[in-house]
Amino acid sequence: MKFTVLGSGGSEGVPSLFCTCASCEHARRNPESPDYRRCTSYLIDDDTLIDFGPDLREQMRLFYVDYAKIRRVLNTHCHGDHLNLELIGRRGSPKFALNPPVLDFYGDDMPQRCVGGEKGGGFAYASMRSCPIHPGERLTTPDGSMEIFAVRADHDPGTTPLNYILTRGGKSLLIANDTGWWSDETWEMIRQCGYKLDAAIIDCYGAARNPDLAKSHMGLNVYLKFRTRLIEYGLMTEETPNFATHFEHHSVCPHEELLKIMTPLNVTPCYDGLTFEF
């Protein structure tokens, strides 16, 4: 399995459009550097997109995404930086797109309603197929290539947010952005799930400047406690590759500083364009 980080920033990105904080000014002066961060999204292998955000057009251009190979979208929640309905509307055929490939759309109740509309017709218009998934469910994709396990994230409850464990070819990956410390119910699901993770991508919105953030997102101290709990529950080891992501512009420092802080802790800070194969 291979993942590509298409974006590693919060909803405002780095730089935030009108912000003059040190992080934003630094990124603005260095647009080709790892400090320039777009809305958080990932590509798994060539066929699975995690979130459909507002920066997708640029991300596909920058990171050589072959649109024709994408077969499914997994949505974490329906905030606009993760589910951009205007861009989904650009899949409308034939006005905006000529015969786009049908994509399976996985997500909980609110994202399904956002895309489908009141009568569900939005899916047909956007050449998507509704694939509802709820906390505790395990689904296998129609082509049999991937198993998807969903748990409830700690984020805006009105968006019915999910985190995922994806399994393909005997390898498992945790996608856990846009979450604070999981609820007891989610931790119990994770304790009993039976997966052994080969890699994990985990929210670190507060980074080292807001390290104790634990609600809706996480800072670095909470990230480390979160990872420790995963180790205690047997899902990963101290050596399992883990990646911090979804950095907020006020909290994140330049990438070189992040490396100095996180590398000794066996944490890899994500940047746009990072790839990892396992």
Side-chain angles (χ1 to χ4, degrees):
M1 191 185 297
K2 175 184 177 181
F3 70 79
T4 302
V5 177
L6 302 180
S8 58
S11 62
E12 71 289 335
V14 186
S16 184
L17 184 58
F18 299 108
C19 184
T20 59
C21 76
S23 296
C24 289
E25 289 292 357
H26 176 78
R28 196 170 282 118
R29 291 192 301 269
N30 298 278
E32 305 302 322
S33 76
D35 300 307
Y36 200 98
R37 301 178 184 278
R38 298 154 191 87
C39 291
T40 292
S41 178
Y42 320 99
L43 182 69
I44 310 301
D45 295 322
D46 293 322
D47 61 359
T48 303
L49 184 65
I50 311 297
D51 286 336
F52 202 110
D55 295 329
L56 186 58
R57 188 195 309 272
E58 183 184 17
Q59 290 164 332
M60 293 175 74
R61 176 185 65 83
L62 287 170
F63 307 123
Y64 308 104
V65 177
D66 186 344
Y67 177 78
K69 292 181 179 179
I70 297 175
R71 289 293 174 265
R72 64 193 63 87
V73 176
L74 276 65
N75 179 249
T76 58
H77 63 299
C78 59
H79 281 167
D81 54 321
H82 296 267
L83 184 62
N84 186 279
L85 297 177
E86 182 177 357
L87 285 186
I88 285 178
R90 293 296 182 263
R91 291 180 50 81
S93 179
K95 181 177 180 180
F96 296 114
L98 184 61
N99 300 322
V102 175
L103 302 184
D104 292 329
F105 182 88
Y106 293 86
D108 206 345
D109 295 337
M110 184 55 70
Q112 296 288 340
R113 288 197 292 271
C114 286
V115 176
E118 289 189 15
K119 298 182 180 180
F123 283 104
Y125 175 75
S127 296
M128 287 182 165
R129 182 167 38 237
S130 175
C131 298
I133 187 168
H134 306 99
E137 291 184 347
R138 302 174 197 245
L139 300 181
T140 300
T141 57
D143 61 4
S145 71
M146 178 182 289
E147 182 178 88
I148 305 167
F149 176 63
V151 297
R152 175 69 70 222
D154 173 58
H155 201 57
D156 177 0
T159 67
T160 59
L162 294 177
N163 291 157
Y164 296 101
I165 294 177
L166 311 180
T167 301
R168 169 176 272 175
K171 302 290 186 179
S172 293
L173 169 67
L174 171 66
I175 303 286
N177 56 260
D178 285 77
T179 189
W181 186 262
W182 281 336
S183 68
D184 291 345
E185 181 181 9
T186 292
W187 277 118
E188 185 60 19
M189 283 185 184
I190 285 292
R191 188 181 69 83
Q192 297 185 29
C193 71
Y195 290 101
K196 302 294 183 184
L197 298 176
D198 296 282
I201 305 173
I202 302 171
D203 192 285
C204 198
Y205 185 84
R209 293 180 179 172
N210 191 5
D212 297 318
L213 178 65
K215 185 64 180 173
S216 194
H217 290 288
M218 290 186 280
L220 181 56
N221 289 345
V222 181
Y223 177 108
L224 295 173
K225 293 176 182 177
F226 188 95
R227 184 181 66 178
T228 296
R229 177 68 66 88
L230 291 171
I231 293 170
E232 291 172 348
Y233 282 3
L235 275 79
M236 58 189 291
T237 70
E238 296 282 357
E239 289 72 40
T240 302
N242 58 107
F243 300 82
T245 193
H246 207 287
F247 297 113
E248 188 251 354
H249 69 120
H250 286 308
S251 300
V252 72
C253 56
H255 190 72
E256 288 301 317
E257 292 183 35
L258 280 182
L259 288 172
K260 291 176 183 177
I261 294 168
M262 293 185 173
T263 301
L265 301 171
N266 190 31
V267 177
T268 300
C270 284
Y271 59 88
D272 298 15
L274 179 148
T275 62
F276 183 75
E277 191 164 359
F278 56 100

